[in-house]
Amino acid sequence: MDKYRVMQAENRKLYNQVQDLRGAIRVFCRIRPAGRTNDDSPVCVESAGEDGLVVRCPGPKNELKDFHFDKVFEPQVTQAQVYEDTQPLIRSMLDGFNVCIFAYGQTGAGKTHTMSGTDVEHADGRGINYRALDDLFLLRDERATEVVYSIKVQMVEIYNETLRDLLVDGGHQVRLEIHNTQASGLNVPGAKQEVVTSSADVLRLMDKGARNRKSAETRMNERSSRSHQVLTVIVDGDNLLTGAQTHGCLHLVDLAGSERTTKSEATGDRLVEANHINSSLSALGDVMAALANKSKHVPFRNSKLTQLLADSLSGQAKVMMFMHIAPEASSFQETLSTLKFATRVSEITLGQVGTW
Ligand code: ADP
Ligand code: MG
């Protein structure tokens, strides 16, 4: 078979997989290797098979709790292996689907590792954000005789319910508003979108985004864990043979740390931040639950985060949530709260058949 036919066959296969996925939400769990955060307390989490997880509650009873997901990634699983499960979704975007991928979990549980990566100057360390864009470039080249694609990137953070453009340097910020009526990926007209054509472009932009995020940090505030970062990829395709046009949008979301701050710990700015994070994460949970239940009313308007993502979550969006677990016993309470959030979304969707 020539290359074109191979590609057609592959597209059909992927198309079928995508059909299975219509409206689906997949919930994955990734366990961070122990000891990455200077915490030497014993490990209280173990995987139990491909899709299960056991948490050992500290205390005299040593009670065990079981949880189930679409899949559990054990600590030694590589960035490339994690990406394998994401790949079909990224590909479906080229055919005009909207996709959202979230990293949820307490600070230090590995969200940024999954989305951006660690030591990204080495390809092995790169997370989903880089791999997704590289894949899009590859597919664009493979299909070049048939379709012309334009790939654009936008990067914003949401801090205390305010949007900030991470592709614009500090002094040049404009006020960003969300317009609910726009097509997916175009609902923040004031945000800068940059065309990317190669991995080098992406590395440069990510670096810029990271620097802009860093520049807003104060001594007291490690900003990256207190804000949501949303990288949006917008892909438009023009089919040269049929004249058909496609439009797809991918949101890659590194959420703020989900840890609960007690009133006694947090005062002033910290308390304001904590309240904003708590309310936006619960708004996200409500939206996910409504989508999973196929409810008529999805409460997108309750937070900036859900408003921003509404454009691609309504309709036939494909959603993937990576729940991140810190395995140390000291994080036990936060782990349970993460697993509870995950269960709320996944117990409704488990049982829906369909392969990736
Ligand atoms: P978060 O973004 O949730 O606060 P990070 O992604 O920054 O957490 O992870 C905390 C630390 O653990 C970082 O140093 C990161 O490199 C490391 N880490 C997280 N997950 C993994 C993993 N799966 N394998 C190796 N190191 C990891
Ligand atoms: Mg982080």
Side-chain angles (χ1 to χ4, degrees):
M1 266 204 294
D2 61 26
K3 203 176 146 209
Y4 181 73
R5 278 176 198 283
V6 172
M7 199 180 85
Q8 289 264 310
E10 187 199 22
N11 282 354
R12 253 196 312 277
K13 190 175 124 222
L14 289 169
Y15 181 74
N16 289 335
Q17 288 177 353
V18 165
Q19 293 299 305
D20 288 340
L21 275 172
R22 285 204 163 177
I25 300 174
R26 289 286 180 274
V27 185
F28 293 165
C29 177
R30 188 175 195 184
I31 310 170
R32 168 172 59 64
R36 299 289 162 139
T37 52
N38 295 325
D39 179 345
D40 55 9
S41 74
V43 165
C44 71
V45 177
E46 293 165 33
S47 73
E50 271 250 297
D51 64 349
L53 181 80
V54 179
V55 184
R56 189 177 295 277
C57 310
K61 281 212 211 128
N62 232 332
E63 187 193 347
L64 295 176
K65 284 182 190 282
D66 275 321
F67 295 90
H68 289 273
F69 295 89
D70 288 296
K71 198 164 191 173
V72 173
F73 295 107
E74 296 190 50
Q76 71 278 9
V77 170
T78 63
Q79 300 284 62
Q81 287 169 314
V82 169
Y83 181 68
E84 273 173 28
D85 284 277
T86 317
Q87 199 168 33
L89 278 193
I90 304 301
R91 294 181 169 213
S92 77
M93 235 198 107
L94 286 183
D95 301 319
F97 287 90
N98 292 323
V99 176
C100 279
I101 301 177
F102 295 94
Y104 184 102
Q106 71 177 111
T107 298
K111 298 179 297 296
T112 303
H113 181 76
T114 295
M115 301 311 290
S116 301
T118 303
D119 300 330
V120 296
E121 51 288 357
H122 301 111
D124 285 354
R126 290 181 199 160
I128 291 173
N129 295 356
Y130 292 97
R131 289 171 196 268
L133 280 154
D134 278 351
D135 229 12
L136 288 175
F137 297 140
L138 206 75
L139 288 159
R140 172 202 61 190
D141 293 346
E142 272 178 25
R143 298 182 186 181
T145 53
E146 198 185 338
V147 191
V148 176
Y149 287 107
S150 121
I151 306 175
K152 282 184 253 139
V153 165
Q154 166 186 304
M155 202 190 302
V156 300
E157 75 169 352
I158 303 173
Y159 175 71
N160 283 350
E161 289 299 278
T162 305
L163 266 72
R164 183 162 173 270
D165 195 335
L166 292 178
L167 295 183
V168 169
D169 295 331
H172 304 280
Q173 287 285 326
V174 293
R175 197 181 154 79
L176 297 181
E177 306 278 359
I178 303 172
H179 293 232
N180 294 315
T181 52
Q182 304 293 318
S184 62
L186 304 174
N187 62 351
V188 190
K192 191 165 177 182
Q193 296 194 338
E194 294 213 18
V195 174
V196 285
T197 58
S198 67
S199 309
D201 283 351
V202 173
L203 280 165
R204 185 179 50 76
L205 279 187
M206 301 281 194
D207 191 51
K208 185 174 184 178
R211 269 185 287 115
N212 280 330
R213 205 175 187 198
K214 196 94 194 144
S215 72
E217 269 179 30
T218 62
R219 196 173 52 85
M220 291 296 290
N221 173 338
E222 208 237 311
R223 174 93 166 216
S224 71
S225 63
R226 315 312 298 155
S227 63
H228 310 297
Q229 180 184 304
V230 186
L231 173 69
T232 302
V233 183
I234 302 114
V235 178
D236 286 288
D238 257 316
N239 191 309
L240 301 171
L241 308 179
T242 64
Q245 297 189 324
T246 53
H247 172 82
C249 163
L250 163 69
H251 290 297
L252 296 149
V253 189
D254 186 346
L255 291 166
S258 59
E259 59 275 8
R260 300 278 141 172
T261 318
T262 56
K263 281 230 158 79
S264 57
E265 283 170 329
T267 51
D269 291 350
R270 270 294 199 204
L271 186 60
V272 173
E273 276 178 356
N275 287 341
H276 280 127
I277 295 168
N278 289 351
S279 61
S280 62
L281 291 178
S282 48
L284 179 64
D286 294 343
V287 162
M288 289 295 134
L291 289 171
N293 274 325
K294 306 211 180 329
S295 299
K296 279 223 174 67
H297 174 70
V298 183
F300 287 119
R301 300 198 60 89
N302 293 349
S303 74
K304 282 286 189 300
L305 176 68
T306 49
Q307 269 177 50
L308 177 67
L309 304 176
D311 62 349
S312 22
L313 285 175
S314 22
Q316 292 176 345
K318 280 140 203 69
V319 180
M320 206 154 140
M321 285 211 134
F322 284 93
M323 309 306 298
H324 290 84
I325 299 296
E328 295 88 5
S330 55
S331 292
F332 162 73
Q333 282 303 342
E334 287 305 335
T335 294
L336 280 191
S337 122
T338 296
L339 293 169
K340 222 169 101 191
F341 183 95
T343 306
R344 182 163 173 230
V345 175
S346 64
E347 71 187 358
I348 319 166
T349 54
L350 280 179
Q352 278 183 5
V353 277
T355 47
W356 288 90

